Amino acid sequence: MPLLDLGAAVAIGLRYFTIIYLTGLGGLFSERSGIVNIGLEGMMIIGTVMGAWGTLEYGPVAGLVIGAAGGLGLGLVHALATVTFRVDHIVSGVVINVVAVGLARFLAQTFFGQATQSDPSIPHFDKFDVPLLSQLPLGLGRAFEAMSPVVPAAFLLTIPILFVLNKTRFGLRLRSAGENPGRDPSRRCACSSASLRRRHDLGSVGGAGGGLPRDRGERALPRRPDAGTGIHRAGGSDPRQLEAGVVDARCSVVRIRSGGSAEAQRRAPVISVLPEQFIRMIPYVVTMIAIAGFVGRVQPPAAAGRVRRRGGSL
Amino acid sequence: MSARTITPTPTRSPWVELIGGQALALGGAFLFAALVGALIIRAYGVSPLEVYRIIWVYSSSELSDFARVLANATPLIFSGLAVAVAFKAGLFNIGVEGQYIVAMLTASMAALGLDFLPSALLLPAVVLNGMLGGALWALIPGLLKVRTGAHEVVTTIMMNGIALSLVAWALLDPLKSSEQGLVDLRTDIFTTKALVPTIATSLGLEEQIPGSVHLTWLFPLALLSCALVWFLLFRTRLGYEIRAIGSSSGSAEAGGISIRSLQLKAFVISGALGGLVGLNNLLGDRGYLGHNYEIGLGFAGITVAFLGRNHPLGIALAAILLGMLARGQEGIAVTFELPSETLIILEGILILSVVIAYEMVRRGLARRRQRAVRAEERAISTEGAEDAPA
């Protein structure tokens, strides 16, 4: 038995990566438009329940879409509160998380007849072996065997997201709304609608993140389905330079390390010197170090979190 | 020369307007939340009025019911105060959750390690150790905030995650009970000297209030904390400075207030208050730290603080209200074919509408005041023009 089953570790890392990465993209959109979204956690939770229900009723693809729609619904609530009613972003986000837990249990009770999980045998995407990669030597190929198609899809999503963000008018407006919403009077009105629109995208991507675990039919819905992960992501997507590509790199590294090593520990007693609980702390510590600026300067959009008031109005 | 014609601005004092406006906002938000809640309840084929009546009956019909409500409210008051103190300084302490979890750990360490002390010393030592743990856990994000500018929202959330793992590790290894054949993962049971007595036993009310109601002397302590926080914020220099940096850090700095050291102080005070959140559960109910300790109280504190307008009195009332809803949930679960989670949704809608309503009232009042000032200015300037020689 090898000291460390690298293939299995990477496979677990990739699985976590997908969930967090999709949510991170949601965080990216909202953060770049200047809206802090602590409510990603809640959007993931609702996405999970809605996705499970959608999958049960209409199959996995519809499940993904319905899961995203669930996140979008909460994204709309957040947009209504922060953009229209100018409630503080954090307050609204926290409330959304509170509501989401109750709403998820309520919906699960309604859909599945029990508050904490759906029928574990719901349909899911067919798994497939990634060609070529699954042939890698040294056990590395195992990482790419029996993979859910959502994983590579999430990877590929990076390209259109980068394009939208950097090469379209919509992306430019989005970014300028985040940096300096009041700069150009002619754009002022567009701002609120742009960030309203923004929030939709964000919500839906956030929701998709939650939708995923269900679609794969791998996971029961515990009391706090994606406990911590949504919020964790919101933390990581803060920085301005955090282009989609960086979100990508950062999450995967962090998660492969945490998810992977927990599993690896079970397989390779050599690593068990460090208790599993400390390994679980690593992603949080890494994020704190990154935010504290010890690893290069990370800077959020200038107007992130600020409630926007038109002109001098109160 | 014409007589002075400036009409006095409305004679209602701004204070009355503020109170009236807030009452209006609160009433409107409650009504709105009750209506939306009624729609959800209706969809389940249950009468909303009946549900609301059950909440009331379950939380007020007997002395023991009300005691349960207050027991529910105890941790919420502490955590609401913790959030509010930080918020008054313009800081978001999302980390009360982690702070009280770590505080439960440090309090347990004191309860287990100092058990040779007499009760009069042990109990304060345990409580203080809890506050110390919470303050320490808040100190880290506080330091990062003032030294590196790391946003406290992100760092405190990360600290919450670390706290969960830390306690899990402590329960698995150093603090794990040495008793054999335990099903639950927990510490040794504390000596009774370390436990907070319930009010019922101290006052001889066991007849009316059964032992399952954990209304302890921590509730009066919570009320006392409200008074102390009020005194700190509104009657001391430190509190004044905290409020100053919260409402306008620029002017506060110009006024010679050191923002960084104050932010750190506010964060530590907030963490110390946060350290008291878990103690009712730990010292009033269980008497040991187990893996299934109560979670979510820190986040609930955020909603309590906002429902209570970050004012100590408001926080106490808001905590009692949420305590009633929690009690009502039990009532609903046994009375209706309705998921008791409905009340959590109701709570969320209520808080969101309260926050929005307050914001709308605040804006409305500010606009009125602005209009009044403008009208006054206009009156003065036209009068000045009349006075000028033609």
Side-chain angles (χ1 to χ4, degrees), chain A residues 38 85-88 90-91 95 99 102-103 105-106 110 224 231-232 235 277-278 281 288 292 309 314, chain B residues 44 92 144 148 153 157-159 165-166 169 172 295 306 341 345 348 351 355-356 359 362-363 370:
Chain A
I38 296 285
F85 291 110
R86 302 173 205 167
V87 171
D88 191 285
I90 309 252
V91 175
V95 172
V99 180
L103 192 59
R105 291 172 68 88
F106 178 83
T110 312
R224 293 174 295 172
I231 277 182
H232 181 62
Q277 288 77 30
F278 285 96
M281 293 177 192
M288 282 176 78
R309 310 213 149 97
L314 293 153
Chain B
Y44 262 83
F92 269 111
L144 285 175
T148 71
V153 168
I157 291 170
M158 297 302 124
M159 293 300 282
S165 295
L166 184 73
W169 168 76
L172 273 170
I295 52 160
F306 281 96
E341 286 79 22
I345 302 175
I351 291 149
V355 172
I356 290 175
E359 175 66 23
R362 191 195 64 77
R363 256 192 286 161
Q370 207 175 34

Side-chain angles (χ1 to χ4, degrees), chain B residues 302-320:
Chain B
I302 301 171
T303 61
V304 169
F306 281 96
L307 210 50
R309 298 303 287 144
N310 290 303
H311 190 285
L313 179 64
I315 286 169
L317 295 176
I320 291 172

Side-chain angles (χ1 to χ4, degrees), chain A residues 163-214:
Chain A
F163 180 80
V164 167
L165 205 58
N166 293 321
K167 299 282 179 236
T168 62
R169 192 165 65 171
F170 174 68
L172 177 66
R173 288 207 170 148
L174 175 76
R175 287 177 290 138
S176 71
E179 294 293 344
N180 197 342
R183 182 76 191 80
D184 178 2
S186 66
R187 202 178 290 153
R188 235 191 269 132
C189 313
C191 272
S192 32
S193 74
S195 44
L196 256 169
R197 256 185 290 160
R198 187 77 308 71
R199 312 317 323 303
H200 303 195
D201 297 24
L202 115 76
S204 62
V205 182
L212 174 68
R214 247 37 291 293

Side-chain angles (χ1 to χ4, degrees), chain A residues 118-176:
Chain A
S118 67
D119 183 355
S121 61
I122 64 174
H124 50 78
F125 287 118
D126 289 331
K127 298 191 172 176
F128 74 113
D129 296 348
V130 184
L132 296 179
L133 285 175
S134 55
Q135 315 295 319
L136 282 177
L138 297 172
L140 264 178
R142 283 196 52 191
F144 303 97
E145 283 169 17
M147 182 186 269
S148 159
V150 184
V151 176
F155 265 109
L156 294 178
L157 204 56
T158 310
I159 298 160
I161 296 257
L162 272 177
F163 180 80
V164 167
L165 205 58
N166 293 321
K167 299 282 179 236
T168 62
R169 192 165 65 171
F170 174 68
L172 177 66
R173 288 207 170 148
L174 175 76
R175 287 177 290 138
S176 71

Side-chain angles (χ1 to χ4, degrees), chain B residues 51 54-55 328-340 343:
Chain B
V51 169
I54 287 291
I55 298 174
Q329 229 171 307
E330 294 168 24
I332 285 177
V334 298
T335 318
F336 302 107
E337 290 281 306
L338 179 73
S340 58
L343 281 194

